[in-house]
Amino acid sequence: MTASGRCNMKIFVFFTFLALTVAQKLPVRSIWQWPQYTFLENLAVRQNGSILTTRLDEPLLLEIDPFSGQGPQLVHQFPEYLAVGGIVETEPDLFAVVSGNFSVLKLTSYAGTYAVWKVDYRCSKSGAPEISKLTDIPQAAFLDGMTYVPSAKALFIADAQLGLIWRMDIQTGKYVVAVNNTLTQKCHATDLEAVNGLKYFNSTLYWTNSGCGWFAKLPIDTNGNPNGTASKIYSNSELSLDDFAIASSSGIAYLSASFINQVVTIGPDGKLTSIAGGLNSSDVAQPTALAFGRTSADLKKGTVYVTTAGAIGDPINGTTIVGAQLVAIDTKST
Ligand SMILES: *[C@@H]1O[C@H](CO)[C@@H](O)[C@H](O)[C@H]1NC(C)=O
Ligand SMILES: *[C@@H]1O[C@H](CO)[C@@H](O)[C@H](O)[C@H]1NC(C)=O
Ligand SMILES: *[C@@H]1O[C@H](CO)[C@@H](O)[C@H](O)[C@H]1NC(C)=O
Ligand SMILES: *[C@@H]1O[C@H](CO)[C@@H](O)[C@H](O)[C@H]1NC(C)=O
Ligand SMILES: *[C@@H]1O[C@H](CO)[C@@H](O)[C@H](O)[C@H]1NC(C)=O
Ligand SMILES: *[C@@H]1O[C@H](CO)[C@@H](O)[C@H](O)[C@H]1NC(C)=O
Ligand SMILES: *[C@@H]1O[C@H](CO)[C@@H](O)[C@H](O)[C@H]1NC(C)=O
């Protein structure tokens, strides 16, 4: 997540905007809009095309069928927490989800409150999943992006406050610090978030470091251990990047550029292009995370779904906050 703009962000991002390569902007379709001051944090797409999305302002996991025109259904409320964050599918219809105490209003993460849960649709007859806690992580300070490495049966979870990546065994819940280096750590003590979005793709861990303005990668082997050195793919200290998705055919990353209200791409060559939204636009107001659709209709259009926080962190034009949205962007012309 990226919860807040720095006070002076607007001034910085104006210059940043000028430096971006601006392609023809893609149209943005709204799937659903929530009331103002809602904060959608992350999402995962189920194999049948429905979308699971998490709320940071309330401890809720929601499901929405993007083709139905119907609103979200409540999957689960996590009663002992203020927020729900990262979500990833670990086997077909089995998801891992992070809960914890984060206050959107106070922009504060409460260390020691985080846990990882399993949301299991595999044996569901009623449609409702079985929900169980995998483990608490009392040492964690602010769990954010999460990804899964199947060959290692391991979750990797960004700790945005401690500036490191945890690794957790999906069967036992045992966890260790897996990556803790200058590319995951904070650049400034005052940064709310260091390592933030996190994805495994093509034998490589990719992450954003929001406070530093970096997109970085680290090759890992089939056991989930580093197999090479971490490096920056893109760097711009004035741009705050949140969570992202990687297109499997091209290796192009689609990222949330939260406080400039845009979705940007970064290619393997490190070139950044703005593809949707705009600094003063509410089309994608403070994007937080992206995930590609999985139905044949999604694949045909290259549809990527985006969650937003409605510009809570840095109001558009200094004043406008809109309701958070789930939006769809078709990245292939048909
Ligand atoms: C996926 O399955 C759920 C039932 O588990 C159903 O509510 C939902 O509409 C389905 N989604 C799609 C896109 O068919
Ligand atoms: C989260 O905060 C609430 C309200 O302050 C508190 O009741 C709850 O115990 C906290 N949860 C955890 C896991 O510490
Ligand atoms: C991460 O590395 C920093 C220094 O590079 C160190 O101070 C810190 O204790 C490490 N954190 C953990 C949990 O190992
Ligand atoms: C480590 O990476 C090299 C290529 O850089 C590859 O040949 C090797 O198989 C990898 N090791 C493991 C254990 O995956
Ligand atoms: C996967 O990684 C290999 C080795 O670095 C690279 O040659 C290949 O282009 C990558 N594939 C994609 C789809 O990015
Ligand atoms: C922000 O201001 C610009 C220029 O005045 C205007 O075109 C735009 O509609 C405004 N955006 C919002 C979301 O109000
Ligand atoms: C956004 O609006 C500000 C005024 O609020 C204006 O100075 C700036 O030129 C606008 N930028 C773009 C990219 O429209």
Side-chain angles (χ1 to χ4, degrees):
M1 60 94 30
T2 301
S4 84
R6 296 197 288 262
C7 315
N8 47 5
M9 183 64 74
K10 274 287 187 191
I11 293 160
F12 284 134
V13 295
F14 177 59
F15 292 109
T16 303
F17 180 81
L18 293 179
L20 303 184
T21 305
V22 182
Q24 180 76 43
K25 295 292 174 91
L26 297 174
V28 175
R29 287 187 280 129
S30 180
I31 302 294
W32 196 257
Q33 184 160 28
W34 282 258
Q36 279 182 331
Y37 298 101
T38 302
F39 196 123
L40 295 185
E41 166 62 6
N42 215 317
L43 76 169
V45 182
R46 291 184 62 187
Q47 55 185 347
N48 79 345
S50 276
I51 294 166
L52 295 172
T53 184
T54 59
R55 291 265 301 259
L56 197 67
D57 60 314
E58 295 273 0
L60 304 180
L61 174 65
L62 307 170
E63 177 164 355
I64 185 162
D65 175 343
F67 303 102
S68 68
Q70 304 290 306
Q73 306 289 315
L74 177 66
V75 176
H76 190 66
Q77 171 156 18
F78 293 78
E80 290 162 21
Y81 302 89
L82 302 178
V84 190
I87 178 165
V88 65
E89 189 178 50
T90 60
E91 332 182 349
D93 263 340
L94 175 62
F95 295 84
V97 179
V98 165
S99 66
N101 276 2
F102 183 88
S103 166
V104 168
L105 292 178
K106 294 182 184 155
L107 278 181
T108 301
S109 175
Y110 297 89
T113 63
Y114 286 84
V116 178
W117 297 74
K118 285 184 175 182
V119 174
D120 191 350
Y121 286 91
R122 292 172 304 175
C123 302
S124 165
K125 291 199 180 76
S126 61
E130 209 171 89
I131 314 247
S132 58
K133 192 192 276 180
L134 179 57
T135 190
D136 291 315
I137 314 189
Q139 296 88 344
F142 182 4
L143 294 185
D144 208 308
M146 177 162 65
T147 193
Y148 185 64
V149 179
S151 60
K153 293 187 165 41
L155 291 167
F156 286 76
I157 315 171
D159 193 316
Q161 168 69 28
L162 298 181
L164 52 80
I165 298 171
W166 298 97
R167 170 195 174 137
M168 178 180 291
D169 184 298
I170 191 71
Q171 273 143 0
T172 64
K174 285 200 177 134
Y175 54 89
V176 293
V177 173
V179 188
N180 178 15
N181 61 35
T182 53
L183 297 187
T184 57
Q185 291 162 5
K186 287 186 179 181
C187 282
H188 324 90
T190 52
D191 288 344
L192 181 67
E193 291 149 301
V195 59
N196 182 342
L198 180 65
K199 289 286 180 300
Y200 173 68
F201 171 70
N202 196 18
S203 304
T204 306
L205 279 179
Y206 290 84
W207 66 86
T208 54
N209 182 318
S210 299
C212 302
W214 294 336
F215 186 47
K217 67 174 181 180
L218 172 66
I220 59 171
D221 65 26
T222 50
N223 300 316
N225 298 315
N227 181 19
T229 50
S231 59
K232 277 179 225 171
I233 302 167
Y234 177 85
S235 170
N236 178 343
S237 63
E238 285 142 27
L239 197 61
S240 182
L241 298 169
D242 199 342
D243 217 325
F244 58 95
I246 299 179
S248 55
S249 54
S250 62
I252 294 173
Y254 289 70
L255 306 93
S256 310
S258 299
F259 303 127
I260 57 169
N261 306 310
Q262 287 164 63
V263 171
V264 300
T265 57
I266 299 177
D269 59 358
K271 183 169 178 272
L272 183 145
T273 305
S274 175
I275 62 154
L279 178 61
N280 295 341
S281 158
S282 57
D283 284 358
V284 238
Q286 194 181 345
T288 54
L290 296 94
F292 281 94
R294 296 173 66 177
T295 67
S296 53
D298 289 313
L299 297 177
K300 199 171 152 222
K301 294 191 269 186
T303 305
V304 68
Y305 294 93
V306 190
T307 48
T308 80
I312 292 180
D314 190 357
I316 302 163
N317 291 337
T319 50
T320 304
I321 288 170
V322 297
Q325 294 194 73
L326 176 69
V327 303
I329 300 171
D330 300 329
T331 64
K332 284 185 197 162
S333 50
T334 47

